[in-house]
Amino acid sequence: MKTQIGDCTLELIQGDITQQNVDAIVNAANTGLAGGGGVDGAIHRAGGPSIMEECRPLGGCPTGQAKATTAGTLKAKYVIHAVGPVYDMHLQRAPQLLASAYQSSLLIVVEKECRSVAFPSLSTGAYRYPLHEAAPIALETITEFLRSQLHDLQLVRMVLFDTKTLNAYDNALRKLSQSQH
């Protein structure tokens, strides 16, 4: 599914984030920027050891924030390491922290003068954020950012790992589109 927000296309696809030909890829990172499983592990494996070498001196990253490195051997120029909340640990603040992780990533993308970015579904894997709660937060945050900030973004692509995740985001985008008309 695609929707137009100003000059930017917001697109939902099922696929492998490491294969995206975009300026920046957002990584579902941990606070230590220490690599891990899921999206994080896949990005580090596909991009090579230079990404981890750049992560080490960054001193980690707080939950709800993001930091950038170059993208090693990936097609992208940058990897934006975003730390979403662990759902059970941050229950009261989880929605704000999740929104902040997306917003922090987008601010870095704009700062780096990127025209395209690919996001995974932050916090919905090992961090156990329920998809039906996370998808609307992600899409509302991205949509609001695209409407309210000066940027040169032409493409924001949500690259979703499986059909279940794609369907959750598709449903959330349809509801969001209906509520804004």
Short mmCIF file of all heavy atoms in Angstrom, two decimals, residues 97-166:
data_model
loop_
_atom_site.label_atom_id
_atom_site.label_comp_id
_atom_site.label_asym_id
_atom_site.label_seq_id
_atom_site.Cartn_x
_atom_site.Cartn_y
_atom_site.Cartn_z
N LEU A 97 7.83 6.61 23.95
CA LEU A 97 9.18 6.17 23.60
C LEU A 97 9.24 5.61 22.18
O LEU A 97 10.19 5.86 21.45
CB LEU A 97 9.69 5.14 24.61
CG LEU A 97 10.01 5.69 26.00
CD1 LEU A 97 10.22 4.54 26.98
CD2 LEU A 97 11.23 6.61 25.96
N LEU A 98 8.19 4.88 21.80
CA LEU A 98 8.15 4.33 20.44
C LEU A 98 8.05 5.47 19.42
O LEU A 98 8.80 5.50 18.44
CB LEU A 98 6.99 3.35 20.28
CG LEU A 98 6.92 2.63 18.93
CD1 LEU A 98 8.19 1.83 18.66
CD2 LEU A 98 5.69 1.73 18.89
N ALA A 99 7.15 6.41 19.66
CA ALA A 99 7.01 7.56 18.76
C ALA A 99 8.32 8.33 18.67
O ALA A 99 8.76 8.74 17.59
CB ALA A 99 5.88 8.46 19.23
N SER A 100 8.98 8.51 19.80
CA SER A 100 10.24 9.24 19.85
C SER A 100 11.34 8.55 19.04
O SER A 100 12.15 9.21 18.40
CB SER A 100 10.68 9.41 21.31
OG SER A 100 11.90 10.10 21.37
N ALA A 101 11.37 7.22 19.06
CA ALA A 101 12.38 6.48 18.28
C ALA A 101 12.19 6.74 16.78
O ALA A 101 13.17 6.94 16.05
CB ALA A 101 12.29 4.99 18.59
N TYR A 102 10.94 6.75 16.33
CA TYR A 102 10.68 7.06 14.91
C TYR A 102 11.03 8.51 14.61
O TYR A 102 11.68 8.82 13.60
CB TYR A 102 9.21 6.78 14.55
CG TYR A 102 8.91 5.32 14.34
CD1 TYR A 102 8.35 4.55 15.35
CD2 TYR A 102 9.20 4.70 13.12
CE1 TYR A 102 8.09 3.20 15.17
CE2 TYR A 102 8.93 3.35 12.94
CZ TYR A 102 8.38 2.61 13.96
OH TYR A 102 8.12 1.27 13.76
N GLN A 103 10.61 9.42 15.48
CA GLN A 103 10.85 10.84 15.24
C GLN A 103 12.35 11.16 15.26
O GLN A 103 12.85 11.90 14.40
CB GLN A 103 10.12 11.67 16.29
CG GLN A 103 10.11 13.14 15.96
CD GLN A 103 9.14 13.91 16.84
OE1 GLN A 103 8.90 13.53 17.99
NE2 GLN A 103 8.60 14.98 16.32
N SER A 104 13.09 10.60 16.21
CA SER A 104 14.53 10.82 16.29
C SER A 104 15.22 10.32 15.02
O SER A 104 16.13 10.96 14.50
CB SER A 104 15.12 10.09 17.50
OG SER A 104 14.59 10.62 18.69
N SER A 105 14.76 9.17 14.53
CA SER A 105 15.32 8.62 13.28
C SER A 105 15.08 9.57 12.12
O SER A 105 15.98 9.85 11.32
CB SER A 105 14.68 7.26 12.97
OG SER A 105 14.94 6.35 13.99
N LEU A 106 13.85 10.08 12.00
CA LEU A 106 13.52 10.98 10.91
C LEU A 106 14.30 12.28 10.99
O LEU A 106 14.74 12.81 9.96
CB LEU A 106 12.01 11.25 10.89
CG LEU A 106 11.17 10.08 10.39
CD1 LEU A 106 9.71 10.25 10.80
CD2 LEU A 106 11.31 9.90 8.89
N LEU A 107 14.53 12.80 12.19
CA LEU A 107 15.34 14.01 12.34
C LEU A 107 16.76 13.79 11.83
O LEU A 107 17.32 14.65 11.15
CB LEU A 107 15.36 14.47 13.80
CG LEU A 107 14.06 15.11 14.30
CD1 LEU A 107 14.08 15.26 15.82
CD2 LEU A 107 13.80 16.46 13.62
N ILE A 108 17.34 12.63 12.13
CA ILE A 108 18.69 12.32 11.64
C ILE A 108 18.68 12.16 10.12
O ILE A 108 19.57 12.65 9.43
CB ILE A 108 19.25 11.04 12.33
CG1 ILE A 108 19.50 11.32 13.81
CG2 ILE A 108 20.52 10.57 11.63
CD1 ILE A 108 19.83 10.09 14.63
N VAL A 109 17.66 11.50 9.59
CA VAL A 109 17.54 11.31 8.13
C VAL A 109 17.53 12.67 7.43
O VAL A 109 18.22 12.88 6.43
CB VAL A 109 16.27 10.48 7.80
CG1 VAL A 109 15.92 10.56 6.35
CG2 VAL A 109 16.46 9.04 8.25
N VAL A 110 16.78 13.62 7.97
CA VAL A 110 16.71 14.97 7.39
C VAL A 110 18.05 15.69 7.55
O VAL A 110 18.55 16.31 6.61
CB VAL A 110 15.55 15.77 8.02
CG1 VAL A 110 15.61 17.24 7.62
CG2 VAL A 110 14.21 15.16 7.62
N GLU A 111 18.65 15.56 8.73
CA GLU A 111 19.95 16.17 8.99
C GLU A 111 21.01 15.67 8.01
O GLU A 111 21.87 16.42 7.56
CB GLU A 111 20.35 15.85 10.43
CG GLU A 111 21.70 16.35 10.87
CD GLU A 111 22.04 15.80 12.26
OE1 GLU A 111 21.26 16.03 13.21
OE2 GLU A 111 23.08 15.13 12.38
N LYS A 112 20.93 14.40 7.66
CA LYS A 112 21.90 13.78 6.73
C LYS A 112 21.52 14.03 5.26
O LYS A 112 22.15 13.50 4.35
CB LYS A 112 21.99 12.27 6.98
CG LYS A 112 22.48 11.89 8.36
CD LYS A 112 23.95 12.10 8.51
CE LYS A 112 24.47 11.58 9.83
NZ LYS A 112 25.85 11.97 10.05
N GLU A 113 20.46 14.81 5.04
CA GLU A 113 19.99 15.19 3.70
C GLU A 113 19.61 13.99 2.84
O GLU A 113 19.83 13.95 1.64
CB GLU A 113 21.03 16.07 2.99
CG GLU A 113 21.31 17.35 3.74
CD GLU A 113 22.35 18.25 3.10
OE1 GLU A 113 22.96 17.85 2.08
OE2 GLU A 113 22.55 19.36 3.62
N CYS A 114 19.01 12.99 3.48
CA CYS A 114 18.54 11.81 2.76
C CYS A 114 17.21 12.12 2.07
O CYS A 114 16.42 12.91 2.57
CB CYS A 114 18.35 10.65 3.73
SG CYS A 114 19.88 10.11 4.52
N ARG A 115 16.98 11.46 0.95
CA ARG A 115 15.72 11.60 0.23
C ARG A 115 14.83 10.36 0.40
O ARG A 115 13.65 10.40 0.10
CB ARG A 115 15.98 11.86 -1.25
CG ARG A 115 16.62 13.22 -1.48
CD ARG A 115 17.10 13.41 -2.89
NE ARG A 115 16.42 14.37 -3.74
CZ ARG A 115 16.14 15.62 -3.46
NH1 ARG A 115 16.42 16.11 -2.28
NH2 ARG A 115 15.57 16.41 -4.34
N SER A 116 15.44 9.27 0.90
CA SER A 116 14.67 8.04 1.08
C SER A 116 15.17 7.29 2.31
O SER A 116 16.35 7.32 2.63
CB SER A 116 14.80 7.15 -0.17
OG SER A 116 16.16 6.87 -0.44
N VAL A 117 14.22 6.62 2.97
CA VAL A 117 14.54 5.87 4.18
C VAL A 117 13.65 4.64 4.26
O VAL A 117 12.50 4.68 3.86
CB VAL A 117 14.39 6.75 5.45
CG1 VAL A 117 12.98 7.29 5.61
CG2 VAL A 117 14.83 6.00 6.72
N ALA A 118 14.21 3.56 4.79
CA ALA A 118 13.46 2.32 5.04
C ALA A 118 13.46 2.05 6.54
O ALA A 118 14.52 2.06 7.17
CB ALA A 118 14.07 1.15 4.29
N PHE A 119 12.27 1.82 7.07
CA PHE A 119 12.09 1.50 8.49
C PHE A 119 11.62 0.06 8.64
O PHE A 119 10.78 -0.39 7.86
CB PHE A 119 10.96 2.34 9.10
CG PHE A 119 11.32 3.72 9.52
CD1 PHE A 119 11.14 4.78 8.65
CD2 PHE A 119 11.79 3.96 10.80
CE1 PHE A 119 11.43 6.08 9.05
CE2 PHE A 119 12.08 5.26 11.22
CZ PHE A 119 11.91 6.32 10.34
N PRO A 120 12.06 -0.63 9.70
CA PRO A 120 11.40 -1.86 10.11
C PRO A 120 10.28 -1.49 11.09
O PRO A 120 10.11 -0.32 11.42
CB PRO A 120 12.51 -2.61 10.85
CG PRO A 120 13.26 -1.50 11.53
CD PRO A 120 13.22 -0.33 10.55
N SER A 121 9.57 -2.46 11.58
CA SER A 121 8.60 -2.24 12.65
C SER A 121 9.37 -2.30 13.96
O SER A 121 9.74 -3.37 14.43
CB SER A 121 7.52 -3.33 12.60
OG SER A 121 6.61 -3.13 13.65
N LEU A 122 9.65 -1.12 14.53
CA LEU A 122 10.45 -1.06 15.76
C LEU A 122 9.71 -1.66 16.95
O LEU A 122 8.50 -1.46 17.10
CB LEU A 122 10.80 0.41 16.07
CG LEU A 122 11.67 1.13 15.05
CD1 LEU A 122 11.81 2.61 15.44
CD2 LEU A 122 13.03 0.48 14.90
N SER A 123 10.44 -2.39 17.76
CA SER A 123 9.99 -2.94 19.05
C SER A 123 8.98 -4.08 18.98
O SER A 123 8.57 -4.59 20.02
CB SER A 123 9.41 -1.84 19.96
OG SER A 123 10.43 -1.01 20.44
N THR A 124 8.58 -4.52 17.78
CA THR A 124 7.53 -5.55 17.71
C THR A 124 8.08 -6.97 17.64
O THR A 124 7.30 -7.91 17.60
CB THR A 124 6.58 -5.30 16.51
OG1 THR A 124 7.34 -5.29 15.31
CG2 THR A 124 5.83 -3.99 16.68
N GLY A 125 9.39 -7.12 17.64
CA GLY A 125 9.98 -8.46 17.65
C GLY A 125 10.32 -8.87 19.07
O GLY A 125 9.44 -9.07 19.90
N ALA A 126 11.61 -8.93 19.36
CA ALA A 126 12.09 -9.35 20.67
C ALA A 126 11.60 -8.44 21.80
O ALA A 126 11.51 -8.87 22.95
CB ALA A 126 13.62 -9.40 20.68
N TYR A 127 11.27 -7.17 21.47
CA TYR A 127 10.82 -6.24 22.51
C TYR A 127 9.32 -6.34 22.78
O TYR A 127 8.77 -5.61 23.59
CB TYR A 127 11.22 -4.81 22.15
CG TYR A 127 12.71 -4.52 22.34
CD1 TYR A 127 13.60 -5.52 22.71
CD2 TYR A 127 13.20 -3.26 22.15
CE1 TYR A 127 14.95 -5.26 22.89
CE2 TYR A 127 14.54 -2.97 22.33
CZ TYR A 127 15.41 -3.97 22.70
OH TYR A 127 16.75 -3.70 22.88
N ARG A 128 8.63 -7.22 22.05
CA ARG A 128 7.26 -7.66 22.34
C ARG A 128 6.18 -6.56 22.32
O ARG A 128 5.15 -6.70 22.97
CB ARG A 128 7.19 -8.41 23.68
CG ARG A 128 8.03 -9.66 23.75
CD ARG A 128 7.98 -10.34 25.10
NE ARG A 128 8.39 -9.54 26.22
CZ ARG A 128 9.66 -9.22 26.54
NH1 ARG A 128 10.63 -9.69 25.82
NH2 ARG A 128 9.91 -8.47 27.59
N TYR A 129 6.41 -5.48 21.60
CA TYR A 129 5.37 -4.45 21.49
C TYR A 129 4.26 -5.02 20.62
O TYR A 129 4.52 -5.47 19.51
CB TYR A 129 5.95 -3.18 20.84
CG TYR A 129 5.29 -1.92 21.31
CD1 TYR A 129 5.98 -0.99 22.07
CD2 TYR A 129 3.96 -1.64 20.98
CE1 TYR A 129 5.37 0.18 22.50
CE2 TYR A 129 3.36 -0.47 21.41
CZ TYR A 129 4.07 0.44 22.17
OH TYR A 129 3.47 1.59 22.59
N PRO A 130 3.01 -5.03 21.07
CA PRO A 130 1.93 -5.61 20.26
C PRO A 130 1.77 -4.85 18.93
O PRO A 130 1.71 -3.62 18.91
CB PRO A 130 0.69 -5.43 21.14
CG PRO A 130 1.22 -5.28 22.53
CD PRO A 130 2.54 -4.59 22.39
N LEU A 131 1.72 -5.61 17.85
CA LEU A 131 1.62 -5.02 16.50
C LEU A 131 0.44 -4.07 16.36
O LEU A 131 0.58 -2.99 15.78
CB LEU A 131 1.47 -6.14 15.46
CG LEU A 131 2.72 -6.65 14.80
CD1 LEU A 131 2.39 -7.82 13.89
CD2 LEU A 131 3.41 -5.54 14.04
N HIS A 132 -0.72 -4.45 16.88
CA HIS A 132 -1.92 -3.62 16.71
C HIS A 132 -1.81 -2.29 17.45
O HIS A 132 -2.53 -1.35 17.14
CB HIS A 132 -3.18 -4.38 17.14
CG HIS A 132 -3.27 -4.63 18.62
ND1 HIS A 132 -2.59 -5.67 19.23
CD2 HIS A 132 -3.93 -3.96 19.59
CE1 HIS A 132 -2.84 -5.63 20.53
NE2 HIS A 132 -3.66 -4.61 20.78
N GLU A 133 -0.87 -2.18 18.41
CA GLU A 133 -0.61 -0.92 19.09
C GLU A 133 0.54 -0.16 18.43
O GLU A 133 0.52 1.07 18.33
CB GLU A 133 -0.27 -1.16 20.56
CG GLU A 133 -1.42 -1.66 21.40
CD GLU A 133 -0.99 -1.91 22.86
OE1 GLU A 133 -0.16 -1.13 23.38
OE2 GLU A 133 -1.50 -2.87 23.46
N ALA A 134 1.56 -0.89 18.00
CA ALA A 134 2.77 -0.26 17.45
C ALA A 134 2.54 0.34 16.06
O ALA A 134 3.05 1.43 15.77
CB ALA A 134 3.90 -1.29 17.40
N ALA A 135 1.80 -0.35 15.21
CA ALA A 135 1.63 0.12 13.82
C ALA A 135 0.99 1.51 13.76
O ALA A 135 1.52 2.39 13.06
CB ALA A 135 0.83 -0.91 13.02
N PRO A 136 -0.11 1.78 14.47
CA PRO A 136 -0.68 3.13 14.40
C PRO A 136 0.26 4.20 14.94
O PRO A 136 0.33 5.30 14.39
CB PRO A 136 -1.94 3.05 15.27
CG PRO A 136 -2.25 1.62 15.42
CD PRO A 136 -0.97 0.87 15.26
N ILE A 137 1.01 3.89 15.99
CA ILE A 137 1.96 4.86 16.55
C ILE A 137 3.03 5.19 15.52
O ILE A 137 3.35 6.36 15.28
CB ILE A 137 2.60 4.33 17.86
CG1 ILE A 137 1.55 4.23 18.96
CG2 ILE A 137 3.79 5.20 18.29
CD1 ILE A 137 1.98 3.45 20.18
N ALA A 138 3.58 4.16 14.89
CA ALA A 138 4.62 4.36 13.87
C ALA A 138 4.10 5.23 12.74
O ALA A 138 4.73 6.23 12.36
CB ALA A 138 5.10 3.01 13.34
N LEU A 139 2.96 4.87 12.19
CA LEU A 139 2.44 5.56 11.01
C LEU A 139 1.96 6.97 11.34
O LEU A 139 2.17 7.90 10.54
CB LEU A 139 1.33 4.73 10.37
CG LEU A 139 1.82 3.39 9.79
CD1 LEU A 139 0.63 2.52 9.39
CD2 LEU A 139 2.77 3.60 8.62
N GLU A 140 1.34 7.16 12.49
CA GLU A 140 0.92 8.51 12.89
C GLU A 140 2.13 9.41 13.11
O GLU A 140 2.13 10.58 12.70
CB GLU A 140 0.07 8.46 14.17
CG GLU A 140 -1.33 7.92 13.92
CD GLU A 140 -2.07 7.57 15.21
OE1 GLU A 140 -1.68 8.06 16.30
OE2 GLU A 140 -3.05 6.80 15.12
N THR A 141 3.18 8.87 13.73
CA THR A 141 4.40 9.66 13.98
C THR A 141 5.06 10.06 12.66
O THR A 141 5.44 11.22 12.47
CB THR A 141 5.38 8.86 14.86
OG1 THR A 141 4.73 8.50 16.07
CG2 THR A 141 6.64 9.66 15.16
N ILE A 142 5.19 9.11 11.75
CA ILE A 142 5.81 9.39 10.45
C ILE A 142 4.97 10.40 9.67
O ILE A 142 5.49 11.38 9.13
CB ILE A 142 6.00 8.08 9.64
CG1 ILE A 142 7.07 7.21 10.32
CG2 ILE A 142 6.36 8.38 8.19
CD1 ILE A 142 7.13 5.78 9.82
N THR A 143 3.67 10.19 9.62
CA THR A 143 2.77 11.09 8.87
C THR A 143 2.84 12.51 9.44
O THR A 143 2.96 13.48 8.70
CB THR A 143 1.33 10.55 8.93
OG1 THR A 143 1.31 9.24 8.36
CG2 THR A 143 0.38 11.44 8.16
N GLU A 144 2.76 12.62 10.76
CA GLU A 144 2.82 13.93 11.41
C GLU A 144 4.15 14.62 11.10
O GLU A 144 4.19 15.82 10.81
CB GLU A 144 2.64 13.74 12.92
CG GLU A 144 2.52 15.02 13.69
CD GLU A 144 2.27 14.74 15.17
OE1 GLU A 144 1.28 14.07 15.49
OE2 GLU A 144 3.10 15.20 15.99
N PHE A 145 5.23 13.87 11.17
CA PHE A 145 6.55 14.42 10.88
C PHE A 145 6.61 14.95 9.44
O PHE A 145 7.07 16.07 9.20
CB PHE A 145 7.64 13.36 11.09
CG PHE A 145 9.03 13.89 10.88
CD1 PHE A 145 9.76 14.38 11.95
CD2 PHE A 145 9.61 13.89 9.62
CE1 PHE A 145 11.05 14.87 11.76
CE2 PHE A 145 10.89 14.38 9.42
CZ PHE A 145 11.61 14.88 10.50
N LEU A 146 6.14 14.15 8.50
CA LEU A 146 6.20 14.54 7.09
C LEU A 146 5.37 15.79 6.81
O LEU A 146 5.71 16.60 5.96
CB LEU A 146 5.75 13.39 6.19
CG LEU A 146 6.66 12.17 6.19
CD1 LEU A 146 6.04 11.04 5.38
CD2 LEU A 146 8.05 12.53 5.65
N ARG A 147 4.29 15.96 7.55
CA ARG A 147 3.43 17.13 7.37
C ARG A 147 3.99 18.38 8.04
O ARG A 147 3.73 19.49 7.60
CB ARG A 147 2.03 16.86 7.92
CG ARG A 147 1.25 15.91 7.05
CD ARG A 147 -0.25 16.01 7.32
NE ARG A 147 -0.95 15.24 6.32
CZ ARG A 147 -1.53 14.06 6.55
NH1 ARG A 147 -1.51 13.56 7.76
NH2 ARG A 147 -2.13 13.41 5.58
N SER A 148 4.74 18.21 9.13
CA SER A 148 5.10 19.37 9.96
C SER A 148 6.54 19.82 9.84
O SER A 148 6.88 20.90 10.31
CB SER A 148 4.79 19.07 11.43
OG SER A 148 5.62 18.03 11.89
N GLN A 149 7.39 19.03 9.25
CA GLN A 149 8.82 19.37 9.19
C GLN A 149 9.23 19.75 7.78
O GLN A 149 8.70 19.23 6.80
CB GLN A 149 9.67 18.16 9.63
CG GLN A 149 9.42 17.69 11.03
CD GLN A 149 10.04 18.58 12.07
OE1 GLN A 149 11.07 19.18 11.86
NE2 GLN A 149 9.38 18.68 13.22
N LEU A 150 10.22 20.63 7.69
CA LEU A 150 10.85 20.90 6.40
C LEU A 150 11.78 19.73 6.09
O LEU A 150 12.60 19.37 6.93
CB LEU A 150 11.66 22.20 6.45
CG LEU A 150 10.84 23.48 6.47
CD1 LEU A 150 11.75 24.68 6.64
CD2 LEU A 150 10.04 23.61 5.18
N HIS A 151 11.63 19.15 4.94
CA HIS A 151 12.45 18.00 4.58
C HIS A 151 12.47 17.83 3.06
O HIS A 151 11.63 18.41 2.36
CB HIS A 151 11.93 16.72 5.25
CG HIS A 151 10.53 16.37 4.83
ND1 HIS A 151 10.25 15.72 3.66
CD2 HIS A 151 9.34 16.61 5.43
CE1 HIS A 151 8.94 15.57 3.55
NE2 HIS A 151 8.36 16.11 4.60
N ASP A 152 13.42 17.04 2.60
CA ASP A 152 13.50 16.71 1.18
C ASP A 152 13.16 15.24 0.94
O ASP A 152 13.50 14.68 -0.11
CB ASP A 152 14.91 16.99 0.64
CG ASP A 152 15.22 18.48 0.59
OD1 ASP A 152 14.29 19.25 0.29
OD2 ASP A 152 16.37 18.86 0.87
N LEU A 153 12.52 14.61 1.91
CA LEU A 153 12.19 13.20 1.77
C LEU A 153 11.19 12.99 0.63
O LEU A 153 10.19 13.70 0.52
CB LEU A 153 11.60 12.65 3.06
CG LEU A 153 12.62 12.26 4.12
CD1 LEU A 153 11.96 12.06 5.46
CD2 LEU A 153 13.36 11.00 3.70
N GLN A 154 11.50 12.00 -0.19
CA GLN A 154 10.60 11.63 -1.28
C GLN A 154 9.97 10.26 -1.03
O GLN A 154 8.94 9.95 -1.60
CB GLN A 154 11.37 11.62 -2.60
CG GLN A 154 11.87 12.99 -2.98
CD GLN A 154 12.76 12.98 -4.19
OE1 GLN A 154 13.31 11.95 -4.58
NE2 GLN A 154 12.93 14.13 -4.81
N LEU A 155 10.64 9.43 -0.20
CA LEU A 155 10.15 8.08 0.06
C LEU A 155 10.44 7.67 1.50
O LEU A 155 11.58 7.74 1.95
CB LEU A 155 10.82 7.07 -0.89
CG LEU A 155 10.49 5.59 -0.64
CD1 LEU A 155 9.02 5.29 -0.91
CD2 LEU A 155 11.39 4.71 -1.50
N VAL A 156 9.38 7.27 2.20
CA VAL A 156 9.52 6.58 3.48
C VAL A 156 8.88 5.22 3.27
O VAL A 156 7.70 5.11 2.98
CB VAL A 156 8.81 7.34 4.63
CG1 VAL A 156 8.88 6.51 5.91
CG2 VAL A 156 9.44 8.71 4.84
N ARG A 157 9.69 4.19 3.39
CA ARG A 157 9.23 2.82 3.14
C ARG A 157 9.28 2.03 4.44
O ARG A 157 10.32 1.97 5.09
CB ARG A 157 10.13 2.17 2.09
CG ARG A 157 9.76 0.73 1.78
CD ARG A 157 10.69 0.14 0.72
NE ARG A 157 10.48 0.82 -0.55
CZ ARG A 157 11.46 1.02 -1.45
NH1 ARG A 157 12.69 0.62 -1.22
NH2 ARG A 157 11.19 1.61 -2.59
N MET A 158 8.15 1.44 4.80
CA MET A 158 8.11 0.50 5.91
C MET A 158 8.36 -0.88 5.32
O MET A 158 7.56 -1.35 4.50
CB MET A 158 6.75 0.53 6.61
CG MET A 158 6.38 1.85 7.27
SD MET A 158 7.40 2.35 8.66
CE MET A 158 7.33 0.95 9.76
N VAL A 159 9.47 -1.49 5.70
CA VAL A 159 9.82 -2.82 5.19
C VAL A 159 9.50 -3.81 6.30
O VAL A 159 10.17 -3.86 7.32
CB VAL A 159 11.31 -2.89 4.79
CG1 VAL A 159 11.64 -4.27 4.24
CG2 VAL A 159 11.64 -1.80 3.78
N LEU A 160 8.44 -4.57 6.06
CA LEU A 160 7.87 -5.41 7.10
C LEU A 160 8.19 -6.87 6.82
O LEU A 160 8.09 -7.34 5.69
CB LEU A 160 6.37 -5.13 7.19
CG LEU A 160 6.14 -3.61 7.39
CD1 LEU A 160 4.75 -3.20 7.01
CD2 LEU A 160 6.52 -3.18 8.79
N PHE A 161 8.60 -7.55 7.87
CA PHE A 161 9.22 -8.86 7.76
C PHE A 161 8.29 -9.97 7.28
O PHE A 161 8.69 -10.83 6.52
CB PHE A 161 9.83 -9.22 9.12
CG PHE A 161 10.50 -10.56 9.15
CD1 PHE A 161 11.69 -10.75 8.48
CD2 PHE A 161 9.94 -11.62 9.84
CE1 PHE A 161 12.32 -11.98 8.50
CE2 PHE A 161 10.56 -12.86 9.87
CZ PHE A 161 11.76 -13.03 9.18
N ASP A 162 7.04 -9.95 7.72
CA ASP A 162 6.15 -11.05 7.37
C ASP A 162 4.74 -10.52 7.06
O ASP A 162 4.44 -9.34 7.25
CB ASP A 162 6.12 -12.11 8.47
CG ASP A 162 5.72 -11.56 9.83
OD1 ASP A 162 5.09 -10.47 9.89
OD2 ASP A 162 6.03 -12.20 10.84
N THR A 163 3.88 -11.41 6.59
CA THR A 163 2.53 -11.04 6.18
C THR A 163 1.72 -10.48 7.36
O THR A 163 0.98 -9.51 7.20
CB THR A 163 1.80 -12.27 5.58
OG1 THR A 163 2.63 -12.79 4.54
CG2 THR A 163 0.46 -11.90 5.01
N LYS A 164 1.87 -11.07 8.54
CA LYS A 164 1.13 -10.62 9.72
C LYS A 164 1.48 -9.16 10.03
O LYS A 164 0.58 -8.34 10.30
CB LYS A 164 1.50 -11.52 10.91
CG LYS A 164 0.87 -11.14 12.22
CD LYS A 164 1.31 -12.13 13.30
CE LYS A 164 1.37 -11.46 14.63
NZ LYS A 164 2.00 -12.26 15.66
N THR A 165 2.75 -8.81 9.95
CA THR A 165 3.19 -7.44 10.24
C THR A 165 2.72 -6.49 9.14
O THR A 165 2.21 -5.40 9.43
CB THR A 165 4.72 -7.39 10.40
OG1 THR A 165 5.11 -8.38 11.35
CG2 THR A 165 5.19 -6.03 10.88
N LEU A 166 2.84 -6.91 7.90
CA LEU A 166 2.37 -6.09 6.78
C LEU A 166 0.87 -5.81 6.93
O LEU A 166 0.42 -4.67 6.76
CB LEU A 166 2.66 -6.78 5.45
CG LEU A 166 2.15 -6.05 4.20
CD1 LEU A 166 2.82 -4.70 4.03
CD2 LEU A 166 2.36 -6.92 2.96
#
